[in-house]
């Protein structure tokens, strides 16, 4: 995806998400962190954005940016939202840190007309090499925390996530895999190549 002027400091996966969201859409960003993605969508797409963030520090950072964000937990608080309340529900680099990823994904597809999910790919070749040659849990740019400090409790691969989408009846409308340098890989490549060479996955879904 070509970068828009003035977006040089934005994370590449955020730029991919930016390209998936229609201008003026109603957006809920779950696990929105410091609000950098939600602010990008507000400033560049004019979205009507809301956010949920678990950490108080993240909520405070979002409020400083002028964002409408509340403190909440993806595992427990999504049931309160009505069906199709948003055009897009975004879960960026968070699904692997939830206790029940399947339930959370089903909630995303219920609340939003579209769901956008991004996550680190535990099937990436560097992760496999670390496990094979060193016999240790990997530490990479995408998975930067040691095993005893990581918030991630359900590591998954791109292939795993595609299987989960089929299980819950989600239709994959668009998908991107980003390599270790953050560059989108060609869509025409088969899933097994993405699963080996993709460091992250970004998926646009809707209920099938």
């Amino acid at each position: 995806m070509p970068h828009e002027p003035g977006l040089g400091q934005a994370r590449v996966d955020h730029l991919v998400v930016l390209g998936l969201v229609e201008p003026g859409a109603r957006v809920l960003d779950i696990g929105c962190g410091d609000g950098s993605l939600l602010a990008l969508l507000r400033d560049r797409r004019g979205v009507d954005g809301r956010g949920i963030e678990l950490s108080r520090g993240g909520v405070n950072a979002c409020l400083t940016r002028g964002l409408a964000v509340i403190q909440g937990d993806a595992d427990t608080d999504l049931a309160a939202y009505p069906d199709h309340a948003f055009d897009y529900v975004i879960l960026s680099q968070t699904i692997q840190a939830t206790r029940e990823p399947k339930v959370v994904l089903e909630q995303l597809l219920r609340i939003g007309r579209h769901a956008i999910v991004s996550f680190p790919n535990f099937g990436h070749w560097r992760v496999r090499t670390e496990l094979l040659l060193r016999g240790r849990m990997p530490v990479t740019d995408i998975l930067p925390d040691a095993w005893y400090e990581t918030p991630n409790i359900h590591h998954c691969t791109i292939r795993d996530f595609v299987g989960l989408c089929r299980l819950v009846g989600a239709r994959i409308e668009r998908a991107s895999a980003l390599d270790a340098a953050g560059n989108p890989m060609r869509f025409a490549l088969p899933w097994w190549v993405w699963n080996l060479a993709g460091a992250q996955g970004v998926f646009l879904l809707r209920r099938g």
Side-chain angles (χ1 to χ4, degrees):
M1 186 192 80
H3 292 186
E4 296 181 25
L7 298 181
Q9 301 303 313
R11 279 171 34 184
V12 176
D13 59 315
H14 286 183
L15 295 178
V16 173
V17 172
L18 180 68
L20 299 175
V21 174
E22 293 293 328
R26 294 167 298 155
V27 173
L28 176 64
D29 187 1
I30 301 167
C32 56
D34 65 0
S36 55
L37 174 57
L38 198 54
L40 182 67
L41 292 169
R42 176 195 62 190
D43 297 343
R44 293 290 172 165
R45 290 292 183 264
V47 306
D48 178 8
R50 302 289 185 271
I52 301 175
E53 169 55 30
L54 183 61
S55 73
R56 172 49 59 183
V59 173
N60 290 340
C62 291
L63 295 178
T64 299
R65 293 176 184 263
L67 300 169
V69 173
I70 62 172
Q71 189 167 18
D73 187 337
D75 279 303
T76 59
D77 296 334
L78 298 184
Y81 288 89
D83 296 356
H84 299 155
F86 295 89
D87 298 310
Y88 298 88
V89 180
I90 300 172
L91 195 66
S92 176
Q93 305 293 326
T94 301
I95 194 167
Q96 74 283 352
T98 62
R99 291 190 296 274
E100 297 185 87
K102 177 177 176 290
V103 174
V104 170
L105 182 57
E106 288 172 334
Q107 291 282 23
L108 303 187
L109 295 166
R110 179 187 65 80
I111 297 169
R113 299 183 186 280
H114 298 86
I116 299 175
V117 182
S118 68
F119 55 92
N121 175 31
F122 203 67
H124 186 252
W125 68 268
R126 289 185 177 175
V127 176
R128 300 186 193 205
T129 301
E130 190 82 0
L131 285 168
L132 178 65
L133 299 183
R134 299 186 61 194
R136 302 185 63 177
M137 295 300 290
V139 175
T140 68
D141 291 340
I142 303 300
L143 298 165
D145 301 308
W147 68 269
Y148 50 84
E149 295 177 322
T150 179
N152 301 325
I153 57 178
H154 289 292
H155 292 296
C156 74
T157 68
I158 289 175
R159 186 174 181 180
D160 286 329
F161 186 76
V162 171
L164 180 60
C165 290
R166 291 171 179 159
L167 180 65
V168 302
R171 186 171 73 200
I172 300 173
E173 294 199 322
R174 291 176 64 181
S176 297
L178 309 183
D179 62 23
N183 300 310
M185 301 173 63
R186 292 187 298 116
F187 184 84
L189 293 173
W191 286 118
W192 70 266
V193 177
W194 279 20
N195 204 45
L196 182 64
Q200 313 178 54
V202 183
F203 286 74
L204 174 66
L205 311 171
R206 73 180 305 162
R207 177 68 69 183

